[in-house]
Amino acid sequence: MIITKKRIRSLRAYTKGLVEAQPLVVCVSVSDIDTNTAIDIGFSPDLLPGESVLPKAVGNITTFNAEGKEIPLKDKPKETHYRQQEWTWKEFRGRYDFEERSRIVDIPYERYPRKFIEPPAIEFNVATNAGSEKLIVSDSVEFLPKNDNLIIHVINLFLEIFGYCEIRNAGLDSIIRAPLRKLNWDVLPPGKKPWGELKPLVREATEHLSDGNKVVIDKRLESINVHEPDFVAVGRAGFTGYLIFGFPEKSLYILESTQTNNATYVIENNWEVLSGLTKAEILENDLHKERVIHRESWFNEINRILCN
């Protein structure tokens, strides 16, 4: 069944003939899409079988898939929250002598409490079928009522990115999957780098931010880099905006987000494990040793963790 709508809200019109509990996949044929679209969401130009990515956010559905979403609870009283910004002042040093100083401060504001909806974190893979047709596919899902919302979400992901998709019976049109090779991270050349050398390499992760937020993020990233990580990995595709600073000798990996009101995750798993996990698995399965909220105390907390 081929679907060409912008978005669907029900499966009823698209699953006629499917038998309950049978496996199905959602896919597009590589020969029918603009390969630049696939590259834009994270795949390599070669689209090799086995490549796997969390699609980069290109609209509302892909953003929810990668980042989740917050729903304001307007029936609850407002709460005090904080945003960070740089505060700069001139400090008197003597007659006619002033020194410019700055620090990151928390600015309080009132907002409704939020309910966070976890990201589905659906990944796409490159595979082939028995006829050697190259496909971009989802994982197979059983056609059951409990999976309706998941199947609708997967279909809408394909529609938002490619403009069409096809539901195939995974049993009748066999999907041949190569060993997965995840493309969600770019590992920068190894070796300890001064911040002046590292900053341009991670700039893509912060280019979408306002100038004020870039200052805040840069100071956080620089304060981690002072501790001389052995490597830095920059998130790509749906992991855009995340960086991992690796300290293998300490068995510590610092997962930092370029979101200004988020948190830093301190993880003890090794890099090979981390690079193969989905975002949901990293953030939501208690894999982190510590979670450091982005507040004024953040700098002291990071120094404490990395200086032990």
Side-chain angles (χ1 to χ4, degrees):
M1 170 68 72
I2 295 176
I3 305 172
T4 56
K5 297 183 69 172
K6 290 186 177 180
R7 185 172 184 174
I8 70 166
R9 301 187 183 276
S10 169
L11 288 176
R12 189 176 307 161
Y14 309 103
T15 53
K16 294 177 181 178
L18 293 181
V19 178
E20 186 169 307
Q22 76 175 76
L24 60 83
V25 297
V26 182
C27 64
V28 293
S29 175
V30 169
S31 62
D32 292 335
I33 64 170
D34 181 349
T35 55
N36 288 326
T37 302
I39 295 168
D40 288 344
I41 63 168
F43 286 110
S44 79
D46 296 323
L47 285 169
L48 298 174
E51 290 185 358
S52 175
V53 299
L54 176 67
K56 183 177 181 179
V58 296
N60 292 336
I61 299 166
T62 43
T63 298
F64 169 57
N65 186 63
E67 302 293 340
K69 63 183 176 182
E70 291 183 333
I71 300 175
L73 302 177
K74 295 186 177 181
D75 59 332
K76 305 289 185 183
K78 288 186 176 181
E79 301 174 335
T80 300
H81 284 258
Y82 298 86
R83 61 176 178 271
Q84 293 192 307
Q85 70 179 49
E86 184 183 39
W87 178 40
T88 303
W89 73 96
K90 290 186 177 181
E91 188 170 275
F92 181 67
R93 291 297 187 183
R95 190 176 184 184
Y96 308 122
D97 186 14
F98 293 86
E99 179 181 352
E100 187 170 280
R101 302 287 300 278
S102 68
R103 67 185 179 95
I104 303 300
V105 297
D106 292 337
I107 307 298
Y109 66 98
E110 297 295 311
R111 74 170 197 183
Y112 290 109
R114 261 63 167 171
K115 177 183 179 181
F116 182 65
I117 308 298
E118 303 291 346
I122 300 299
E123 298 192 345
F124 288 175
N125 310 312
V126 179
T128 57
N129 64 11
S132 299
E133 177 187 19
K134 190 182 290 187
L135 308 166
I136 294 176
V137 304
S138 66
D139 288 335
S140 64
V141 182
E142 288 187 335
F143 180 52
L144 291 169
K146 68 177 183 179
N147 291 333
D148 279 4
N149 288 338
L150 173 60
I151 296 170
I152 289 170
H153 173 70
V154 174
I155 290 171
N156 285 333
L157 276 176
F158 276 88
L159 295 178
E160 182 169 274
I161 296 168
F162 300 110
Y164 96 100
C165 68
E166 185 176 355
I167 298 176
R168 295 196 184 188
N169 179 338
L172 295 177
D173 196 0
S174 178
I175 301 296
I176 303 170
R177 297 177 184 271
L180 292 184
R181 184 167 63 90
K182 290 184 179 286
L183 304 180
N184 292 321
W185 298 95
D186 284 329
V187 180
L188 300 182
K192 299 174 174 63
K193 294 178 173 59
W195 177 241
E197 182 181 343
L198 182 60
K199 183 177 178 179
L201 299 178
V202 302
R203 176 53 67 198
E204 183 178 351
T206 60
E207 64 181 0
H208 64 288
L209 301 175
S210 67
D211 289 343
N213 285 340
K214 283 178 183 175
V215 170
V216 174
I217 299 301
D218 283 351
K219 287 187 179 295
R220 281 211 299 265
L221 299 180
E222 182 177 9
S223 70
I224 298 173
N225 193 63
V226 162
H227 295 275
E228 299 186 331
D230 289 301
F231 73 88
V232 178
V234 181
R236 59 191 302 278
F239 281 74
T240 298
Y242 285 83
L243 298 97
I244 290 179
F245 293 80
F247 300 87
E249 290 186 1
K250 299 181 180 182
S251 296
L252 291 178
Y253 299 84
I254 308 298
L255 177 64
E256 177 58 32
S257 167
T258 59
Q259 301 297 319
T260 54
N261 296 297
N262 210 306
T264 300
Y265 291 83
V266 182
I267 302 171
E268 291 182 302
N269 293 74
N270 62 46
W271 166 243
E272 286 73 21
V273 171
L274 284 178
S275 64
L277 296 177
T278 67
K279 186 184 292 187
E281 288 170 335
I282 291 174
L283 300 182
E284 302 303 330
N285 288 348
D286 294 325
L287 297 178
H288 54 280
K289 176 183 179 182
E290 295 193 46
R291 181 175 182 267
V292 187
I293 301 296
H294 291 163
R295 294 285 301 277
E296 285 188 54
S297 60
W298 181 93
F299 295 93
N300 290 334
E301 289 295 300
I302 290 296
N303 284 334
R304 172 187 62 78
I305 292 165
L306 293 177
C307 288
N308 284 342

